[in-house]
Amino acid sequence: MAHSKTRANDGKITYPPGVKEISDKISKEEMVRRLKMVVKTFMDMDQDSEEEKELYLNLALHLASDFFLKHPDKDVRLLVACCLADIFRIYAPEAPYTSPDKLKDIFMFITRQLKGLEDTKSPQFNRYFYLLENIAWVKSYNICFELEDSNEIFTQLYRTLFSVINNGHNQKVHMHMVDLMSSIICEGDTVSQELLDTVLVNLVPAHKNLNKQAYDLAKALLKRTAQAIEPYITNFFNQVLMLGKTSISDLSEHVFDLILELYNIDSHLLLSVLPQLEFKLKSNDNEERLQVVKLLAKMFGAKDSELASQNKPLWQCYLGRFNDIHVPIRLECVKFASHCLMNHPDLAKDLTEYLKVRSHDPEEAIRHDVIVSIVTAAKKDLLLVNDHLLNFVRERTLDKRWRVRKEAMMGLAQIYKKYSLQSEAGKEAAKQISWIKDKLLHIYYQNSIDDRLLVERIFAQYMVPHNLETNERMKCLYYLYATLDSNAVKALNEMWKCQNLLRHQVKDLVDLIKQPKTDASSKAIFSKVMVITRNLPDPGKAQDFMKKFTQVLEDDEKIRSQLEMLVSPTCSCKQAEGCVREITKKLGNPKQPTNPFLEMIKFLLERIAPVHIDTESISALIKQVNKSIDGTADDEDEGVPTDQAIRAGLELLKASIVLAVLSFTHPISFHSAETFESLLACLKMDDEKVAEAALQIFKNTGSKIEEDFPHIRSALLPVLHHKAKKGPPRQAKYAIHCIHAIFSSKETQFAQIFEPLHKSLDPSNFEHLITPLVTIGHIAMLAPDQFAAPLKSLVATFIVKDLLMNDRLPGKKTTKLWVPDEEVSPETLVKIQAIKMMVRWLLGMKNNHSKSGTSTLRLLTTILHSDGDLTEQGKIRPTLKYHIQLWDPPHRKDVDLLDKPDMSRLRLAAGNAIVKLAQEPCYHEIITLEQYQLCALAINDECYQVRQIFAQKLHKGLSRLRLPLEYMAICALCAKDPVKERRAHARQCLVKNINVRREYLKQHAAVSEKLLSLLPEYVVPYTIHLLAHDPDYVKVQDIEQLKDIKECLWFILEILMAKNENNSHAFIRKMVENIKQTKDAQGPDDQKMNEPKAANVLGAVNKPLSSAGKQSQSKSSRMETVSNASSSSNPSSPGRIKGRLDSTEMDHSENEEFTLASPLPGKKTDKREDSDLVRSEMEKPRGRKKAAITDSEEKLGIDDLNKLGQEQKLRGSQRGRKRPAVVSEVDETQWQDEKRLKEDVIESEDEQNSPPKKGRRGRPTRTNNGGTPKEEPVAKSSKRSKKKPPPAAAAEEEEEEEERQTENIEQKPKGRQNRTSKRTQQSRAGRSKQAASKENESSEEMDVFQSSSPVSDDIPQEEVMEEEEVSAINIAIPVFASLLDFAFTKDIY
C-alpha cells in the first residue's frame, strides 16, 4: 500500500495493460480505442480491489481533467462518463475527487451525457443506458448533498431526465430514472422549490399533453417519494393559497391543476392542503371561488374518489356553493352533479336537496343543466337517481323557458323509451317511471305551439316509435293507451284530432291551388295559409315560409302530387314516409347546411303525415282487441292486469276507446268486414264501456255500411233497437245516433222505437224510465218535426205534470250536500233526465213559436228559485227538522230540512239546462235578466260539486264561443268561492276564455263589426250590472260588502288589464266613465237602485286590492250561517219578487219612453207604473219557502204553469228585443285595435274560420271543415243562410260528456251546513266559512286537468251576438261606476 501511495503522490499515471498514454497528441479514433479498453478495465473492477484502486487512482484523476470533460467528441465524452461512473462505483463511498468544484463539474458533465438517452436507435444507446444504470444503482449523485451547488446539479439532472424520456424507452430505463431521482429526494435533507417545480411542471395539463411519458415519470416519482416530498408540497401550497406568495414559483397560476393531479396520484400528498381549500371556498373573490369549485368538482366526482367520506367538512362546504351568489359557480356545481351521481350513488341523498333548489334557480342555464345532470345519470342507470330527482325533471316540463322545457321533455322521453319500451332494467324500473307517459301527454294542454309540437314528436319517436313493424307498433299503442290516465287520454285524443284537422287544412290548400287562379282563389289560399301558419312554430316566419311553399306547390307538380298523396285518407304509413322523404329531398339544398325553410316544412309534414294509423294498423289493432276478448293476449306480461271475469278488463276498455277516437280521425281505415264484425262482437259484451266505444265507432265510420256491408247492416239493426229500448242510457244515446248516421230509413227506425217507448212510460216505475227518456230526448233532438205533436203532449202531460211536479218517494236521512251517483234516489235521476229531455227537445226545435222555450225557462228558474224542490212540499227525501231563524225576525217556524243531495242535483241540472239553452240564439233571446242573474248564482252554490260542474259547463260553452259574452261575467262571482283551488281554476278558465276571444279577433279581420259580442273588454259592463244585482249587495253603506264586490270586479279586471294591449286601459276607463252617465236598465225609475254613492263610502272601500278572489275575513260574509235579523238589510232581489208577470204580457211596454244615457245601449225592461209598489215589495222580509202548490196546481201542464208563474212572481223584464246601437266616442279614439281589425277584410275565408254573420246571436255556425261532427252544417259562403241546421248539430258534442260530469266529481265531505243569510232566497249561495274551511282541509288537491281538455288551435266557428243585440247591456248604476273609478285612480294606475 505504501508503494502505491508513493506512486500516486508521484503523479505518474498507470494505464491498464495494453493501453498506451491517452493525451491530446493522439487521434480521436485512437483515443476512443484506448478509452474503450479503460472502460472495460473499470467495468471489471469491484470495490474490493484495493491494489487496483490505488494503482489507477491517478488515471481516475486524469479522466476528470478539463481535457476530457470538455472534449468536443461525443464518443469520447460518453466513454469518459462511463469511466467516471465506474470510478464512483469502485471508490464508493468515498470519491477520489475532493474538490467541490471538480465534483460539480463531473456531475454536470455526466448529466449532460445522459441526454444521449433520448435517441433509442443510436449505436451508443447501450453505453448511455449503462451510464444511467450505473449511477442509479450506486446512487452516485448522493455525493452532491454536501455541495453548496447541489440544488443546481439535481435540478439539471431532473430536467434532463424529464426531457429525454419518451415512448421508445423500455421499463428498465423508466425504473432507473425513478430510482435515481427518488434517492435524491428520499435521502436528501431538503427539496428546493426549484427542484419541486421541475417535478410538478410535468403535471400541468399543457406539459402533460406534450409529453405523456414525462407525466408518467413524475407520477411514478411522486408515488415513490410521497412521504418524503409531502411537507414540501404542503409548504408550496401554503405559500400560494394562504399567504398569497405567488412569486415563489412559476407554477402558482396552475396551483389548482396541480392539486387535482396530485390528488389523483396519491391523496396523501394533500393531507394538509385540503383544509386550505375549505378556506378558499369562502373567499370573497368570485374567480377564486370558481376555480376552487371546479377543482373540487373533479376531485369529488372522480370515479374512485373517497374525498367526500374522508373529508366531510370540505364536502359540506362544497355543497354550500350550490347556493353561491355567483352564477358561474352555481352552474359549475350543477354540472358536477351528473358525474357525482354516476360515480358515487351514495351521495345522491346529499345532492337532492341542493338540486331541488337549483331546479328553481332564476337563471335559465342553471335550471337547464340540472335537467341535463339528472337525465344523464338516469340514462346510464335508473338506480342512480331517486324519485325526487326525477320529479325535479317533471316540474321543469312546465318551466317558463322553452329551452328548459324542451330539455326536460326530451330527457323524460329518452328515459321512458329506454326503460319502459326497451325494458333494459326490468319491470321494476318500468313501473318506477310509468308516470312519464302521462306527464308528457299532459303537456299537450299547454297553449304554446312549441310544446304541443314537441309532444307530437316525442309520441312518434319515443312513446310509440313509428319505425316499428305494424303489429309491434299497434301493440305498443294498445298497451300505452290501456295504462294512460284520463287526462292523458284526453290529450292524446286531442292530439290526433288536431293533426287530423291540420291534415284537412292542407288538403283544402292543395285543392285550392289546383283550381284556376282568380282573385277569389288567391284570397282563399291566403286565408288557408294563415290558418295553417297558426299550427307551426314562430308564426311570423312560418307565414313567409308557407307563402314560399305555396308558390312551390303551384310551380312543381311532382311535389304537389306527393303532398296530395300524403293528405289522402287512403295514404298508408309506408307511403307517408316515402312522400315526406321525397318532398324534403326536393326542397333541400346541399349547398345550404342550415335551411330554415326546409325545417319549417318538416314540422308541417311531421304533423300531417299518418305515420301510425292506416288500414293495416287498424286491422292489427282489432286483432289485438280480439286477443284480449279471447283471453289470449299477453296482458300480464305487459304489466296490465287482466280481470278474467270480464276477460279484457280496463285495458280492453281503454283500447276500445282508442278505436272510437281513431274512428273520428281515420274513418276510412275502418271500412272492412273484419273490423265491423269485431265491433259487433264488442257490442254483445257485458262491459258497458266497451259497448259504448263500439257504438261510437259505428257512428263515426258506418256511413257506408248500408251500401257496402249489407250483412253487417242486418246484424247491427236489431242490436241498435235493443240498445235504444232497453240498454243503459249512454248506449241508448249512441244507438240513436248510430241509426241517424248509418240508415237512410231513419224516420222509420225512429218511429219503431219511439211509439212503443212512448206508450210504455210509467211514472211510478223509475228504474225503467231513464233509458226511455234518454232515447226519446235524442230522437226529439235529431227528428223534432217527425214527432212534434206527440212530443209536445208528452212534455206537457208526462214530463212536467207527472214527473217534475210530483214527489212520490221518501228517501234516506242524510245531511250531506252531495252523495255518489249510486246513492242518488231513482226519482231524482228520473227528474234529471226529464229536464235533459226537455232541453234536447227544445234544441231540436230551435224556435220558440209555441212559447215552449219560455215555459221551460220559467220552469227551470223555478227549480233554482226553490233550491231544487220544485213543488216545495218537502217530499224530496225529508230528513230532520230544525228551528231556524227566517228573514222575518218576529216569526220562527218549523221547516223541513229537505234532502240536500237530491236538491243539489236538481239545482245543477236546472243551471246546466239554462246554460245549454243559452247557447242557442233563439232561446238566449228570451232569457230574462232575472233568469240570467238567478242562473249565475249557481256558481256560488253551497254545494262544492254543483259549483264545480256548473263552472265546467260554463267554461266549455265560453271557450267554444257558443255562450254570449255576458255569461263570462258570471266568472267574477268565483272570487267569492271559499275554496282556493276553485278560485284558482276559475281564474285559469277565465284567462283561457279571454285569450280565445282575443285570438279569434286577431285571426278573423272580417269580424271587427262584431266587437261588442267578441271583445273581452266588453264583459266589464255585464260584470258591473251582474254585481249590482247581487242579492248580497243590499245597502250602499255596507263597506264590507263593497269590498267583497270590489274583489269580484278585480277578479275580471286583473286579467283584462294584465297588458295594455291596444290602449285597452284607456278604453276600459272611458267605458266606465260612460257607464257612470247611465241608469240601470233593469230599474231606470228606481231611485234607490240608481242613487249616487257618498264620497266617504268610496274612501272606506278604496283600500289596496288583495289577490284576486280572496275574500275579506274581517266581518261575517255571505257564507256565514247566522242570518241577519235586520229586515231592512235583506230586500228581495228582482229574481225573487213574487207575482212576476209572463214576458208575453210585457210586450206593450217595449215602445214606452225609456231614459237612456249610455254609450252601450242595453236590453230594455218594462217601465212599470207601480214602481213604488215594487220598491215596497223589495223591502219586505222574505221567507225561505214559497207556499206549497195545491193539488189542483200539480195537475197543470206547461201552459198552466205559465199562468201560475204570472200569479206568483212579480213582473220580470223582457230581454229579447233588439235596440239600435249607440256608438261610443271611444270606439274611434281609444280602441285602435278595432280600426286595425277592420282593415284588409278577407271576403272569402275558409268555412272553419268564416266570421259570424248578422241575423243570429250566440255562436258562429259549425262546419265540417276541421273535424267537426258530420251532422253539423257547412257554411257555403260568407253570407249566412237562414236555413236551420240539423237539430243535432248544436248539442251533439256536448252530449258526449254530459252523462259523465258527475261520475268523477271529487267527493267533498261536509258537516252539517245551513243556508246563507242573504243569498238563500235566490240560490244556494255557498257554505259557511267554517264549513268551507273544513271542506278545504278534507279535500284532496284539485287536478287542474279535471274540468278542462285541450282545445284545438282553430276555435270552432260559432255564431256570435250582433252589435245591436248587445244593447241589452244598458246598465251599471253610478254606485259601481264610482267604485270602479276609485279602483282605476288609486289601485290600478
Side-chain angles (χ1 to χ4, degrees):
M1 291 294 296
H3 176 72
S4 299
K5 290 181 180 180
T6 302
R7 284 187 298 176
N9 292 332
D10 293 342
K12 185 178 179 181
I13 301 174
T14 303
Y15 291 94
V19 178
K20 296 183 180 179
E21 180 182 8
I22 303 175
S23 66
D24 56 352
K25 297 180 180 180
I26 60 177
S27 64
K28 182 191 74 173
E29 291 77 10
E30 181 62 23
M31 185 179 296
V32 169
R33 187 184 66 80
R34 296 178 185 182
L35 285 175
K36 287 181 179 179
M37 297 177 66
V38 173
V39 169
K40 181 69 172 57
T41 301
F42 283 125
M43 190 181 298
D44 295 336
M45 290 177 60
D46 55 34
Q47 291 180 329
D48 297 332
S49 304
E50 294 294 336
E51 292 184 2
E52 291 181 341
K53 288 164 57 176
E54 184 66 23
L55 179 64
Y56 297 120
L57 178 61
N58 289 333
L59 178 59
L61 295 176
H62 176 62
L63 290 174
S65 64
D66 289 344
F67 171 76
F68 293 105
L69 297 183
K70 297 180 180 179
H71 198 279
D73 186 73
K74 64 178 182 179
D75 292 335
V76 173
R77 294 197 304 271
L78 173 60
L79 293 171
V80 171
C82 291
C83 292
L84 293 176
D86 279 323
I87 291 172
F88 282 115
R89 174 180 61 81
I90 296 169
Y91 290 91
E94 303 226 354
Y97 314 108
T98 57
S99 169
D101 292 336
K102 179 56 68 176
L103 282 174
K104 176 182 177 182
D105 292 340
I106 293 174
F107 280 105
M108 295 295 285
F109 169 76
I110 295 176
T111 300
R112 288 193 296 272
Q113 305 318 305
L114 290 175
K115 289 183 180 180
L117 290 169
E118 186 173 12
D119 186 5
T120 57
K121 297 181 180 181
S122 171
Q124 303 296 331
F125 179 77
N126 288 335
R127 289 197 183 273
Y128 287 114
F129 175 75
Y130 173 77
L131 174 63
L132 173 65
E133 181 184 36
N134 202 348
I135 60 177
W137 182 72
V138 180
K139 302 179 182 180
S140 303
Y141 277 78
N142 290 5
I143 299 174
C144 301
F145 287 146
E146 304 299 329
L147 302 179
E148 292 183 0
D149 298 330
S150 61
N151 181 61
E152 181 182 353
I153 299 172
F154 296 151
T155 302
Q156 186 60 40
L157 173 65
Y158 275 46
R159 287 175 180 169
T160 300
L161 294 179
F162 281 123
S163 65
V164 301
I165 188 71
N166 56 63
N167 54 9
H169 293 145
N170 57 26
Q171 188 63 31
K172 288 185 179 180
V173 175
H174 187 274
M175 180 187 66
H176 289 318
M177 288 183 177
V178 173
D179 291 340
L180 177 59
M181 291 189 290
S182 61
S183 64
I184 296 174
I185 294 175
C186 294
E187 299 179 20
D189 295 334
T190 184
V191 177
S192 68
Q193 184 62 49
E194 187 178 5
L195 182 62
L196 184 62
D197 287 352
T198 305
V199 178
L200 296 182
V201 72
N202 297 283
L203 306 182
V204 175
H207 291 265
K208 175 181 176 181
N209 296 331
L210 289 175
N211 193 343
K212 181 65 168 56
Q213 289 69 34
Y215 169 79
D216 293 336
L217 180 62
K219 182 178 177 180
L221 175 62
L222 290 169
K223 282 186 176 182
R224 178 83 64 88
T225 62
Q227 187 173 359
I229 204 172
E230 188 268 338
Y232 306 102
I233 293 176
T234 300
N235 179 68
F236 165 64
F237 288 120
N238 280 336
Q239 294 290 324
V240 176
L241 294 178
M242 303 301 294
L243 302 179
K245 296 181 179 180
T246 57
S247 59
I248 66 170
S249 170
D250 294 336
L251 298 179
S252 298
E253 60 183 14
H254 303 291
V255 62
F256 297 113
D257 294 327
L258 293 175
I259 291 176
L260 176 62
E261 292 296 341
L262 290 171
Y263 181 80
N264 291 332
I265 293 171
D266 192 338
S267 60
H268 295 88
L269 291 170
L270 301 174
L271 288 177
S272 301
V273 177
L274 294 180
Q276 302 173 17
L277 296 180
E278 183 176 345
F279 169 78
K280 284 296 180 181
L281 279 174
K282 301 176 182 179
S283 170
N284 292 329
D285 188 342
N286 290 337
E287 289 304 318
E288 189 174 48
R289 289 201 316 279
L290 177 59
Q291 291 185 16
V292 177
V293 166
K294 288 182 177 180
L295 166 65
L296 290 178
K298 297 175 182 177
M299 295 171 66
F300 284 122
K303 188 172 183 179
D304 299 323
S305 173
E306 297 180 358
L307 181 59
S309 58
Q310 294 173 350
N311 199 327
K312 291 185 178 180
L314 182 61
W315 170 244
Q316 292 299 324
C317 186
Y318 175 78
L319 290 178
R321 292 306 95 203
F322 274 83
N323 299 326
D324 197 283
I325 193 174
H326 195 43
V327 173
I329 294 177
R330 301 201 304 272
L331 190 61
E332 193 63 37
C333 290
V334 167
K335 289 180 178 179
F336 143 80
S338 62
H339 301 285
C340 188
L341 289 173
M342 290 187 289
N343 297 331
H344 304 283
D346 53 305
L347 298 178
K349 184 177 180 181
D350 294 339
L351 288 172
T352 299
E353 285 302 317
Y354 292 95
L355 287 177
K356 178 180 180 180
V357 177
R358 294 284 63 80
S359 68
H360 296 87
D361 195 283
E363 288 294 326
E364 173 187 345
I366 294 177
R367 299 196 305 275
H368 176 271
D369 282 5
V370 169
I371 305 306
V372 172
S373 296
I374 298 174
V375 170
T376 302
K379 288 194 293 185
K380 181 179 181 182
D381 188 347
L382 192 60
L383 297 177
L384 297 177
V385 296
N386 53 44
D387 291 339
H388 296 292
L389 293 174
L390 288 177
N391 280 332
F392 301 158
V393 183
R394 179 180 188 167
E395 291 175 359
R396 289 305 97 204
T397 58
L398 299 178
D399 195 275
K400 62 182 179 180
R401 296 294 183 182
W402 163 240
R403 178 180 172 224
V404 180
R405 296 199 307 272
K406 180 180 179 181
E407 188 66 38
M409 293 163 64
M410 290 298 297
L412 290 179
Q414 293 165 5
I415 293 172
Y416 175 80
K417 183 177 182 180
K418 181 174 183 178
Y419 297 109
S420 186
L421 290 187
Q422 300 173 355
S423 300
E424 291 192 6
K427 293 184 178 180
E428 287 299 321
K431 185 178 180 181
Q432 181 185 351
I433 50 98
S434 61
W435 54 267
I436 290 181
K437 59 184 183 301
D438 297 315
K439 179 59 183 175
L440 290 174
L441 288 172
H442 289 172
I443 300 170
Y444 207 74
Y445 285 80
Q446 301 301 313
N447 293 326
S448 170
I449 185 65
D450 292 313
D451 290 305
R452 295 159 72 92
L453 288 175
L454 184 57
V455 171
E456 292 180 6
R457 179 173 289 183
I458 286 173
F459 182 82
Q461 295 181 1
Y462 296 96
M463 301 178 72
V464 184
H466 62 85
N467 54 2
L468 293 178
E469 188 268 333
T470 301
N471 290 330
E472 284 297 317
R473 186 171 70 246
M474 288 299 99
K475 182 179 179 181
C476 181
L477 174 62
Y478 180 90
Y479 288 109
L480 171 70
Y481 207 99
T483 53
L484 292 176
D485 65 28
S486 59
N487 293 312
V489 167
K490 290 180 183 178
L492 182 55
N493 296 347
E494 185 66 24
M495 184 182 77
W496 280 328
K497 291 178 183 178
C498 290
Q499 290 175 340
N500 184 61
L501 177 63
L502 183 59
R503 193 176 298 116
H504 280 284
Q505 299 286 2
V506 175
K507 184 177 184 298
D508 293 342
L509 177 63
V510 175
D511 293 339
L512 289 170
I513 292 174
K514 291 167 62 178
Q515 296 176 3
K517 195 167 185 180
T518 63
D519 291 341
S521 65
S522 298
K523 290 182 179 180
I525 290 174
F526 175 75
S527 175
K528 192 63 64 177
V529 166
M530 296 301 294
V531 173
I532 296 173
T533 297
R534 295 197 300 270
N535 293 277
L536 297 174
D538 196 353
K541 293 182 179 178
Q543 181 177 341
D544 296 333
F545 290 144
M546 277 305 302
K547 290 178 181 177
K548 181 179 178 181
F549 186 55
T550 303
Q551 188 63 44
V552 171
L553 292 176
E554 293 176 354
D555 300 337
D556 194 326
E557 185 177 352
K558 291 184 178 180
I559 293 181
R560 187 171 67 245
S561 62
Q562 292 286 349
L563 185 61
E564 192 173 5
M565 170 62 73
L566 185 63
V567 297
S568 171
T570 59
C571 181
S572 67
C573 296
K574 292 182 179 179
Q575 288 177 326
E577 292 181 3
C579 291
V580 171
R581 185 167 52 251
E582 289 299 321
I583 294 174
T584 54
K585 182 179 179 181
K586 286 182 175 294
L587 295 178
N589 185 359
K591 297 180 180 180
Q592 189 176 1
T594 58
N595 190 341
F597 168 66
L598 181 59
E599 291 300 319
M600 190 65 68
I601 300 306
K602 282 183 178 180
F603 269 115
L604 176 64
L605 297 179
E606 285 179 6
R607 295 204 73 185
I608 64 175
V611 294
H612 284 112
I613 305 300
D614 56 10
T615 303
E616 183 183 358
S617 301
I618 294 297
S619 177
L621 189 56
I622 289 292
K623 291 178 181 178
Q624 190 68 40
V625 173
N626 290 335
K627 288 182 180 180
S628 289
I629 295 175
D630 299 336
T632 59
D634 51 353
D635 299 330
E636 294 290 347
D637 294 339
E638 295 295 332
V640 182
T642 305
D643 188 344
Q644 296 299 325
I646 60 174
R647 311 186 69 179
L650 184 61
E651 75 284 355
L652 176 58
L653 158 66
K654 292 188 176 180
S656 298
I657 296 177
V658 171
L659 299 179
V661 174
L662 297 178
S663 68
F664 179 79
T665 58
H666 303 79
I668 302 298
S669 302
F670 284 78
H671 288 181
S672 69
E674 180 186 6
T675 299
F676 288 132
E677 287 171 0
S678 299
L679 294 174
L680 276 174
C682 291
L683 285 179
K684 300 175 182 178
M685 292 186 62
D686 295 333
D687 193 309
E688 294 184 8
K689 298 293 185 181
V690 174
E692 289 175 18
L695 287 170
Q696 291 182 64
I697 298 172
F698 273 117
K699 168 180 166 290
N700 293 334
T701 65
S703 59
K704 302 294 184 181
I705 286 180
E706 199 168 31
E707 300 174 9
D708 301 340
F709 306 97
H711 65 290
I712 299 293
R713 176 196 181 281
S714 58
L716 178 62
L717 185 57
V719 176
L720 295 179
H721 274 261
H722 175 75
K723 296 287 186 185
K725 295 176 182 178
K726 298 182 179 180
R730 289 182 60 80
Q731 292 186 26
K733 164 190 169 179
Y734 291 127
I736 294 299
H737 284 277
C738 281
I739 293 173
H740 184 266
I742 295 174
F743 299 99
S744 58
S745 59
K746 50 186 158 229
E747 293 81 5
T748 304
Q749 307 301 332
F750 284 162
Q752 294 176 3
I753 296 173
F754 180 83
E755 294 299 337
L757 288 180
H758 186 197
K759 294 178 181 178
S760 64
L761 293 175
D762 182 4
S764 62
N765 191 353
F766 295 123
E767 287 76 5
H768 295 86
L769 268 180
I770 295 180
T771 295
L773 288 176
V774 171
T775 300
I776 292 174
H778 283 278
I779 291 177
M781 186 170 63
L782 296 172
D785 297 332
Q786 184 179 353
F787 307 100
L791 282 172
K792 184 173 182 179
S793 174
L794 175 66
V795 171
T797 59
F798 183 77
I799 299 298
V800 176
K801 186 185 299 183
D802 293 339
L803 294 183
L804 296 179
M805 298 298 293
N806 274 325
D807 296 329
R808 290 179 172 81
L809 299 179
K812 300 178 182 179
K813 297 181 178 181
T814 180
T815 57
K816 296 180 180 178
L817 290 175
W818 190 270
V819 293
D821 292 348
E822 57 271 15
E823 297 182 22
V824 180
S825 69
E827 182 177 12
T828 300
L829 293 176
V830 168
K831 289 188 175 186
I832 293 172
Q833 289 302 329
I835 293 173
K836 290 183 177 181
M837 184 263 168
M838 294 174 63
V839 172
R840 290 165 184 153
W841 171 53
L842 292 176
L843 292 176
M845 288 195 306
K846 293 187 183 298
N847 66 73
N848 191 38
H849 298 327
S850 61
K851 301 299 181 183
S852 300
T854 303
S855 302
T856 302
L857 286 169
R858 200 175 295 279
L859 176 66
L860 295 173
T861 51
T862 303
I863 294 175
L864 292 174
H865 185 277
S866 58
D867 292 333
D869 185 10
L870 181 62
T871 63
E872 293 195 341
Q873 294 182 2
K875 288 187 178 180
I876 300 183
R877 297 171 67 179
T879 54
L880 304 174
K881 287 187 176 182
Y882 289 97
H883 285 291
I884 63 175
Q885 185 175 355
L886 299 180
W887 303 131
D888 191 0
H891 305 286
R892 298 178 64 87
K893 303 177 182 178
D894 284 340
V895 297
D896 288 324
L897 184 61
L898 304 179
D899 181 22
K900 293 185 175 182
D902 288 344
M903 295 168 66
S904 296
R905 295 270 180 169
L906 290 174
R907 291 196 308 274
L908 175 61
N912 288 344
I914 294 176
V915 170
K916 188 87 169 196
L917 291 175
Q919 298 178 37
E920 188 62 42
C922 65
Y923 299 124
H924 170 249
E925 294 285 347
I926 63 174
I927 298 177
T928 65
L929 287 171
E930 289 82 357
Q931 290 170 345
Y932 159 75
Q933 292 157 6
L934 189 60
C935 176
L937 296 181
I939 210 165
N940 284 151
D941 195 273
E942 64 178 337
C943 177
Y944 176 89
Q945 286 78 8
V946 173
R947 303 198 303 273
Q948 183 181 17
I949 301 175
F950 181 79
Q952 292 175 12
K953 292 290 184 183
L954 186 68
H955 169 64
K956 188 175 181 180
L958 288 170
S959 62
R960 297 182 179 184
L961 298 183
R962 292 184 175 178
L963 277 174
L965 183 62
E966 61 217 67
Y967 283 81
M968 191 187 294
I970 299 176
C971 297
L973 298 178
C974 292
K976 296 186 178 186
D977 200 297
V979 181
K980 180 180 179 181
E981 289 81 2
R982 291 294 325 135
R983 297 195 301 271
H985 185 262
R987 189 183 188 282
Q988 180 186 14
C989 293
L990 188 58
V991 170
K992 182 175 182 179
N993 286 322
I994 290 174
N995 290 337
V996 163
R997 292 176 180 270
R998 285 176 173 167
E999 190 66 24
Y1000 188 87
L1001 286 171
K1002 290 178 181 178
Q1003 297 168 5
H1004 300 79
V1007 301
S1008 57
E1009 70 275 7
K1010 304 293 183 182
L1011 284 179
L1012 282 175
S1013 58
L1014 285 173
L1015 196 64
E1017 280 73 11
Y1018 279 117
V1019 78
V1020 173
Y1022 289 115
T1023 305
I1024 296 174
H1025 185 263
L1026 180 63
L1027 294 175
H1029 290 273
D1030 191 305
D1032 287 346
Y1033 181 55
V1034 294
K1035 294 176 64 177
V1036 173
Q1037 292 79 14
D1038 189 345
I1039 303 301
E1040 295 303 321
Q1041 185 55 36
L1042 286 173
K1043 290 180 179 179
D1044 196 21
I1045 291 178
K1046 184 181 181 182
E1047 292 291 344
C1048 294
L1049 197 55
W1050 182 240
F1051 193 76
I1052 294 278
L1053 285 175
E1054 181 188 22
I1055 301 171
L1056 288 174
M1057 304 182 69
K1059 294 182 180 179
N1060 188 18
E1061 295 183 358
N1062 300 305
N1063 203 22
S1064 61
H1065 290 181
F1067 171 75
I1068 295 177
R1069 181 182 179 90
K1070 182 65 177 177
M1071 183 165 52
V1072 172
E1073 291 174 355
N1074 291 335
I1075 288 173
K1076 290 171 66 175
Q1077 308 302 320
T1078 69
K1079 292 184 179 181
D1080 192 341
Q1082 199 165 340
D1085 299 328
D1086 191 326
Q1087 295 181 0
K1088 184 175 182 180
M1089 189 179 296
N1090 293 282
E1091 67 178 338
K1093 177 176 289 294
N1096 59 344
V1097 176
L1098 289 174
V1101 176
N1102 186 38
K1103 299 293 175 61
L1105 287 168
S1106 62
S1107 61
K1110 186 176 180 181
Q1111 295 191 73
S1112 173
Q1113 304 292 330
S1114 59
K1115 295 181 71 174
S1116 61
S1117 71
R1118 53 181 298 280
M1119 294 295 180
E1120 292 180 331
T1121 59
V1122 180
S1123 61
N1124 193 337
S1126 172
S1127 61
S1128 63
S1129 64
N1130 292 279
S1132 296
S1133 67
R1136 279 302 184 101
I1137 301 175
K1138 296 184 179 181
R1140 179 171 53 187
L1141 298 178
D1142 182 49
S1143 61
T1144 58
E1145 297 184 5
M1146 310 304 290
D1147 292 342
H1148 69 279
S1149 65
E1150 286 293 318
N1151 297 321
E1152 291 181 10
E1153 183 181 357
F1154 176 62
T1155 303
L1156 176 63
S1158 171
L1160 293 174
K1163 288 186 177 181
K1164 189 172 183 179
T1165 58
D1166 311 311
K1167 179 178 179 181
R1168 302 191 177 102
E1169 296 177 356
D1170 54 348
S1171 58
D1172 295 335
L1173 175 61
V1174 173
R1175 287 194 296 273
S1176 64
E1177 285 291 333
M1178 292 179 65
E1179 294 176 358
K1180 288 182 180 180
R1182 298 177 296 176
R1184 174 174 296 275
K1185 297 173 62 178
K1186 298 193 299 183
I1189 299 178
T1190 63
D1191 294 337
S1192 61
E1193 291 171 345
E1194 290 183 4
K1195 299 177 182 179
L1196 299 177
I1198 288 185
D1199 295 332
D1200 299 322
L1201 184 65
N1202 293 339
K1203 299 177 182 179
L1204 179 63
Q1206 296 171 14
E1207 298 173 358
Q1208 289 184 338
K1209 299 181 180 180
L1210 193 64
R1211 298 167 183 255
S1213 60
Q1214 177 94 1
R1215 210 172 167 212
R1217 304 297 182 185
K1218 297 183 181 179
R1219 291 285 175 187
V1222 179
V1223 180
S1224 171
E1225 58 187 350
V1226 74
D1227 291 344
E1228 293 295 331
T1229 58
Q1230 294 186 336
W1231 190 247
Q1232 300 174 2
D1233 188 42
E1234 180 175 330
K1235 180 179 179 181
R1236 178 181 60 81
L1237 289 171
K1238 288 181 180 179
E1239 297 175 354
D1240 300 327
V1241 176
I1242 300 174
E1243 295 295 336
S1244 328
E1245 282 194 304
D1246 58 281
E1247 295 139 5
Q1248 160 108 15
N1249 299 288
S1250 59
K1253 308 301 187 298
K1254 293 185 178 181
R1256 300 185 64 183
R1257 306 174 59 178
R1259 55 179 179 147
T1261 303
R1262 297 290 300 274
T1263 68
N1264 267 344
N1265 191 15
T1268 55
K1270 296 178 181 180
E1271 293 81 7
E1272 297 177 358
V1274 178
K1276 298 296 184 181
S1277 67
S1278 61
K1279 295 183 179 180
R1280 186 169 308 278
S1281 172
K1282 297 296 182 179
K1283 184 178 178 181
K1284 292 189 297 183
E1292 182 178 344
E1293 186 173 350
E1294 289 84 348
E1295 290 295 336
E1296 290 292 328
E1297 297 181 2
E1298 259 190 9
E1299 290 81 357
R1300 295 195 188 102
Q1301 286 301 320
T1302 58
E1303 291 179 4
N1304 300 320
I1305 295 302
E1306 182 180 1
Q1307 293 295 318
K1308 294 287 180 176
K1310 306 169 186 69
R1312 189 176 64 200
Q1313 298 180 16
N1314 294 326
R1315 307 287 171 82
T1316 60
S1317 61
K1318 296 181 180 181
R1319 190 178 291 254
T1320 306
Q1321 288 291 322
Q1322 193 165 12
S1323 174
R1324 308 294 258 183
R1327 300 160 298 173
S1328 67
K1329 288 186 177 179
Q1330 181 179 1
S1333 63
K1334 292 180 180 178
E1335 172 186 352
N1336 198 18
E1337 291 172 3
S1338 63
S1339 64
E1340 299 177 357
E1341 182 179 356
M1342 269 195 58
D1343 190 342
V1344 296
F1345 302 120
Q1346 183 174 354
S1347 62
S1348 66
S1349 60
V1351 178
S1352 63
D1353 293 333
D1354 295 321
I1355 305 302
Q1357 171 135 354
E1358 304 294 344
E1359 294 186 10
V1360 293
M1361 298 183 302
E1362 291 190 12
E1363 183 172 350
E1364 299 84 23
E1365 293 173 334
V1366 184
S1367 60
I1369 196 65
N1370 194 2
I1371 49 104
I1373 53 178
V1375 170
F1376 269 93
S1378 302
L1379 175 64
L1380 192 61
D1381 188 35
F1382 267 82
F1384 269 98
T1385 55
K1386 296 294 182 64
D1387 295 325
I1388 299 175
Y1389 292 154

